[in-house]
Amino acid sequence: MQKTKKEKKRLMPNKTSGDSLDLIFNEVKGVIDDDATVNNYQFFLTTIAELLEHVRNTPWPDKASDFIQKFYYAYDEISAVNRYTLFREPYRMYCKMARAYYVLTNPLGKKVFQQLLEWYPFAEGKQILSTWPDNYLISQFRPIKSDHRLYFEDIRTQKRYPIMADEKEQEKNFSDLPSLFITMLVPAKDGYILDILLANEPFDLISSTIIEKMEKHQWEEYLMHWFRKNLLKLVTNLYSTCDDRPTPEFYSAHQLKGETEEHFANRLIEQDNSLRRFPQRQLLNEFFIKIIHAFPRLFAAQVNVMPLLEAVKLLFDDINLNAELHLQEHPTDFWLYLISTTLPEEAAKFRNYRL
């Protein structure tokens, strides 16, 4: 049902107030008006997590700088690794969680949270939303399935928190979750919800002695610094010799548990010196994702991905596909045949480039 002019006017913030939050109010309202299926709780959580980004061209975020600087890296500390998706994407999500943490815990952030809550054009759920600054939880969790329901078990307290989702979504979410991760949970109507998940399976485990000694607030700050430190260490060690490292003879085509398709594609590309330097990296990443979708059964732990990388490099040359391909003798030819016949339009895009 369309809103009347009077109702729309009531939802709109006062544009003459000078309040920089007008920007985020207008953007939130636009999404709500366009999508009647918006989940009140999930959308509000996403809004506060992205709040500083939406108003970054206004004076308001400057007031948050001291708080945020405790959690962000200085640019010169990460400039060498920020070009790698394996670092850039998890770090971007980490920063997003730091911004949500600011809104829920800092005195100025809480004030802005309250302003946003009072304006928020949903009546249902406001009482629960108002408890978030007192009831949010940032911790390290493991997924637990019990009685057909998904729970996140806090490794610090061993408490289990039911995650809000229908049964079908819970089944899919459980199978996709890493075995250990950091997230922020907030209460909703029928459980808890999250907006950001930071996988940390490759990191060293945190000492139980350290965990036992910390109160909630100390644990939260320790955990966030622990994650960014280990992420930087992992990626730095992985790519420290990437410019002169030899190309491996075998590299498994297996996707890690909890690894996104974009991270998986990027990791495969990073194994080849030539592909790694290709300037249109996003185009190449998207192409690999399409290959993964097209041939999911060929991406297994025992499969060597190196022939696939060689086949992709051949797309940059003028290939005569009518020439005889030795599919049984050469895995590279087999991949080249599969790609060229299944994804011909996508493959043709690379003939205008040279490695």
Side-chain angles (χ1 to χ4, degrees):
M1 184 176 70
Q2 289 188 338
K3 297 180 179 66
T4 65
K5 289 184 178 180
K6 184 177 180 180
E7 288 173 322
K8 288 187 176 183
K9 184 176 180 180
R10 178 167 51 84
L11 289 175
M12 289 291 288
N14 180 6
K15 292 186 177 180
T16 62
S17 67
D19 189 347
S20 60
L21 285 174
D22 286 359
L23 296 175
I24 186 66
F25 288 167
N26 287 330
E27 186 150 350
V28 168
K29 181 184 178 298
V31 174
I32 293 171
D33 284 347
D34 291 340
D35 187 355
T37 66
V38 168
N39 180 294
N40 301 8
Y41 303 98
Q42 196 69 57
F43 188 56
F44 194 74
L45 178 57
T46 301
T47 299
I48 66 170
E50 296 181 350
L51 187 60
L52 293 183
E53 284 295 288
H54 282 279
V55 294
R56 60 183 174 181
N57 294 324
T58 71
W60 183 69
D62 294 339
K63 300 176 183 178
S65 60
D66 291 343
F67 180 94
I68 295 298
Q69 283 175 6
K70 291 198 303 183
F71 299 102
Y72 283 20
Y73 274 121
Y75 177 75
D76 58 354
E77 293 183 77
I78 60 172
S79 58
V81 297
N82 203 37
R83 59 194 174 108
Y84 299 121
T85 305
L86 195 60
F87 176 85
R88 187 174 62 251
E89 291 307 309
Y91 182 66
R92 181 177 67 84
M93 299 307 292
Y94 160 84
C95 291
K96 184 178 177 182
M97 190 166 78
R99 294 193 295 269
Y101 186 58
Y102 169 84
V103 174
L104 291 175
T105 61
N106 181 268
L108 177 59
K110 288 183 178 181
K111 182 179 178 181
V112 175
F113 175 88
Q114 188 60 39
Q115 287 179 267
L116 186 61
L117 179 63
E118 290 174 1
W119 170 87
Y120 200 53
F122 283 123
E124 182 184 353
K126 275 196 173 184
Q127 192 280 327
I128 295 177
L129 294 174
S130 68
T131 69
W132 284 6
D134 297 320
N135 295 330
Y136 78 89
L137 184 71
I138 291 179
S139 194
Q140 190 178 46
F141 299 90
R142 60 173 62 91
I144 302 289
K145 195 173 182 183
S146 178
D147 297 327
H148 305 289
R149 178 131 199 204
L150 175 62
Y151 294 84
F152 286 179
E153 183 179 83
D154 187 345
I155 68 159
R156 175 174 162 274
T157 64
Q158 282 74 58
K159 292 183 179 179
R160 295 182 178 182
Y161 298 87
I163 303 305
M164 190 179 80
D166 61 35
E167 189 171 338
K168 185 176 181 181
E169 286 179 331
Q170 295 217 12
E171 186 67 34
K172 181 181 185 302
N173 290 343
F174 182 74
S175 62
D176 291 343
L177 284 170
S179 61
L180 201 60
F181 52 88
I182 297 168
T183 191
M184 171 188 282
L185 294 181
V186 288
K189 184 178 180 180
D190 299 311
Y192 287 77
I193 60 171
L194 64 149
D195 184 54
I196 301 155
L197 189 146
L198 306 174
N200 45 254
E201 287 175 312
F203 302 164
D204 294 333
L205 293 176
I206 301 173
S207 166
S208 58
T209 304
I210 292 176
I211 298 173
E212 292 170 358
K213 290 182 178 180
M214 292 186 182
E215 298 297 328
K216 179 177 182 291
H217 183 68
Q218 293 175 309
W219 169 245
E220 292 164 355
E221 294 206 2
Y222 172 85
L223 199 58
M224 294 177 73
H225 284 98
W226 174 85
F227 176 82
R228 73 167 196 171
K229 177 183 177 181
N230 277 275
L231 177 65
L232 180 60
K233 179 182 176 182
L234 174 71
V235 179
T236 299
N237 290 341
L238 184 61
Y239 295 122
S240 59
T241 58
C242 66
D243 291 332
D244 55 359
R245 68 186 180 191
T247 300
E249 294 183 5
F250 180 92
Y251 192 82
S252 175
H254 175 60
Q255 184 173 1
L256 302 176
K257 185 176 181 181
E259 186 177 38
T260 67
E261 288 179 340
E262 185 175 359
H263 288 170
F264 180 38
N266 187 71
R267 180 165 58 82
L268 298 184
I269 294 169
E270 285 294 323
Q271 305 316 307
D272 185 271
N273 292 327
S274 297
L275 293 177
R276 188 168 61 246
R277 292 191 293 267
F278 182 56
Q280 299 292 331
R281 184 55 174 268
Q282 187 59 36
L283 177 65
L284 191 60
N285 226 57
E286 291 170 357
F287 183 54
F288 267 81
I289 291 174
K290 289 183 178 180
I291 295 174
I292 294 167
H293 281 172
F295 312 107
R297 294 189 178 182
L298 294 182
F299 289 87
Q302 66 271 27
V303 175
N304 185 5
V305 82
M306 302 314 296
L308 165 61
L309 303 185
E310 290 299 319
V312 171
K313 286 194 293 184
L314 288 175
L315 297 175
F316 291 86
D317 297 326
D318 295 326
I319 306 169
N320 181 6
L321 294 178
N322 294 322
E324 184 178 357
L325 295 176
H326 302 283
L327 304 182
Q328 294 182 350
E329 299 176 23
H330 302 291
T332 296
D333 286 359
F334 176 68
W335 269 114
L336 184 58
Y337 172 78
L338 289 178
I339 294 170
S340 300
T341 55
T342 307
L343 301 167
E345 294 182 4
E346 291 83 351
K349 293 178 182 178
F350 293 95
R351 295 178 186 173
N352 297 323
Y353 296 96
R354 287 292 180 269
L355 286 176

